[in-house]
Amino acid sequence: MKAHFDELETRSADAREAAQLEALNDRLARNGLAPVSDLGGLAALPVLRKSELVERQKAQPPFGGLPVSNLAHVFQSPGPIYEPGGISHDWWRMGRFLHACGVGPGDIVQNCFGYHLTPAGMIFENGARAVGAAVLPAGTGQTELQARAAHDVGVTAYAGTPDYLKVILDKGAELGLDLSRITRAAVGGGALFPSLRQEYADRGIFCLQCYATADIGNIAYESEAMEGMIVDEGVIVEIVTPGTGDPVAPGEVGEVVVTTLNPDYPLIRFATGDLSAVLPGVSPCGRTNMRIKGWMGRADQTTKIKGMFVRPEQVAAFVARHAEVSRARVIASREGEMDVMTVQVESPEGDPSPYAASVAELLKLKGRIEIVTPGSLPRDGKVIDDQRIYD
């Protein structure tokens, strides 16, 4: 098997940016947006959040008026959100990840992602087809049948959530079935803990994980180097301050915002609600695209304090109101049986009173103001830190 899925994975940064810019401007035009002169121009465009997509789809079913072409399937995700699906070659770009896992012609992939309403099963089946592998469309549940089928069919690779493969392997052992032909696993949709990856390695199974969503498909994936996740060639990833569309400094934690260059469904600046950060440099495996650290938590830190919701967008509006404020963080705590809101403000100013007035107006709550030295708040992506303990 060749080292890389295609030549796109090893192209220069200049070649990648030029090709993506050309594709991006085409997709912007399809969305009724003006072209940009470079990829940095994305930062001036609005972010599309899932909550907004839900409302748009209610007003203009099924896809909210977004440009969709070559429709083959319609899927439903919680919200509900309806996603289109296509059947063209590697429509969700999952083949790139499966290739990195070592899956290819001659393999039989036991696909344990769901096929019912949600797109995950079709996403991975489409990727398996792109690398020339056959698929056992197992879906979820019925573990004994899954173990027997894996044995009888001669399954060589697994696709599904990280932990379900262990369930199948353990059931196979219980039934006296030899499942040793399974030597590769492509997982997603949950945490792959180091201990579980090691258990698979001890069983002779090479396991890698990807980061994908129902709306976008593959966003980033591990390679054999296992140093972060390599951004897929068909998307543009930005890391922004939660609640805004403003890019963070390189290496800082922020919300993952993705623009997909899929011509059949070009989503522009789609906010995933997930936190991550950019890793410097390129992967030792030879793939040259940007890397991220993988999933680092949720960006939607909305918290209820004193019966009122406080959202990252409100914190961002507070920072934007005061030019001298570089960053702010809301801390929710308890004193006795009472909620307490403290707003830490990075500012060279010493008078908290103007900030208290803005907090009351924009966050709809009165809170303590704590002035802190600029640059002293952690760069961990948190703008709301709920420290309350409920025992």
Side-chain angles (χ1 to χ4, degrees):
M1 181 180 291
K2 60 184 181 180
H4 301 112
F5 184 69
D6 56 27
E7 69 280 358
L8 299 182
E9 294 182 351
T10 56
R11 58 185 163 171
S12 69
D14 289 343
R16 179 177 290 109
E17 181 168 353
Q20 289 187 337
L21 180 61
E22 181 180 359
L24 172 62
N25 280 327
D26 175 78
R27 310 313 184 250
L28 291 176
R30 293 197 58 205
N31 277 273
L33 299 170
V36 294
S37 59
D38 56 54
L39 297 184
L42 273 173
L45 300 178
V47 169
L48 175 62
R49 300 196 173 276
K50 289 193 177 186
S51 57
E52 179 186 347
L53 189 55
V54 170
E55 293 307 312
R56 289 181 62 163
Q57 290 187 353
K58 287 179 181 178
Q60 300 182 71
F63 303 122
L66 296 176
V68 173
S69 58
N70 298 314
L71 179 68
H73 299 101
V74 179
F75 301 100
Q76 184 196 72
S77 293
I81 293 176
Y82 294 96
E83 298 106 1
I87 55 175
S88 60
H89 177 76
D90 210 13
W91 200 86
W92 289 277
R93 307 169 315 281
M94 195 55 69
R96 194 175 303 283
F97 169 51
L98 291 175
H99 181 88
C101 291
V103 178
D107 279 309
I108 301 176
V109 180
Q110 185 155 340
N111 186 5
C112 294
F113 282 105
Y115 280 81
H116 179 66
L117 284 180
T118 60
M122 294 299 293
I123 287 173
F124 275 80
E125 178 159 327
N126 196 258
R129 190 175 297 115
V131 297
V135 175
L136 173 65
T140 59
Q142 297 183 298
T143 304
E144 182 172 333
L145 289 177
Q146 296 236 21
R148 291 191 182 279
H151 171 268
D152 295 345
V153 172
V155 166
T156 60
Y158 164 88
T161 56
D163 54 352
Y164 191 52
L165 174 57
K166 174 176 165 53
V167 176
I168 293 174
L169 295 173
D170 289 348
K171 178 59 70 172
E174 177 187 322
L175 297 173
L177 301 172
D178 179 11
L179 302 184
S180 62
R181 294 190 64 183
I182 300 176
T183 58
R184 279 139 295 156
V187 304
L192 175 59
F193 296 103
S195 58
L196 183 58
R197 196 200 301 258
Q198 185 59 53
E199 180 171 341
Y200 291 150
D202 293 342
R203 293 187 191 220
I205 299 172
F206 178 59
C207 180
L208 296 179
Q209 61 185 326
C210 71
Y211 169 40
T213 72
D215 321 87
I216 294 167
N218 192 26
I219 297 172
Y221 61 99
E222 288 184 322
S223 72
E224 65 272 18
M226 287 190 271
E227 291 188 7
M229 290 187 168
I230 302 160
V231 172
D232 182 77
E233 297 295 333
V235 299
I236 300 170
V237 168
E238 302 170 86
I239 308 294
V240 307
T241 301
T244 77
D246 302 329
V248 302
E252 285 190 14
V253 179
E255 183 176 12
V256 178
V257 170
V258 183
T259 295
T260 173
L261 302 175
N262 183 344
D264 294 338
Y265 187 45
L267 285 174
I268 307 300
R269 299 202 85 199
F270 184 77
T272 64
D274 297 322
L275 292 175
S276 193
V278 173
L279 280 173
V282 296
S283 174
C285 70
R287 295 171 177 86
T288 56
N289 206 356
M290 181 177 82
R291 298 178 300 168
I292 60 175
K293 291 184 178 179
W295 188 83
M296 299 176 68
R298 290 294 293 170
D300 184 6
Q301 301 156 26
T302 298
T303 302
K304 184 177 283 189
I305 306 172
K306 299 180 182 179
M308 295 289 290
F309 282 109
V310 178
R311 296 178 168 83
E313 294 87 342
Q314 293 169 285
V315 182
F318 165 78
V319 173
R321 174 171 290 189
H322 299 275
E324 75 282 2
V325 173
S326 54
R327 193 177 296 262
R329 174 180 295 217
V330 170
I331 296 177
S333 59
R334 289 182 72 80
E335 291 184 359
E337 298 302 318
M338 299 293 292
D339 284 346
V340 176
M341 182 177 76
T342 302
V343 183
Q344 295 181 320
V345 181
E346 285 191 0
S347 172
E349 305 293 332
D351 181 10
S353 56
Y355 304 136
S358 292
V359 164
E361 179 184 347
L362 296 171
L363 276 64
K364 312 302 181 186
L365 287 171
K366 292 183 178 180
R368 299 171 180 169
I369 307 299
E370 181 181 333
I371 308 294
V372 299
T373 304
S376 63
L377 290 179
R379 268 48 178 170
D380 57 4
K382 280 190 178 181
V383 293
I384 301 174
D385 184 9
D386 190 348
Q387 298 181 354
R388 294 170 294 186
I389 299 174
Y390 301 92
D391 291 330

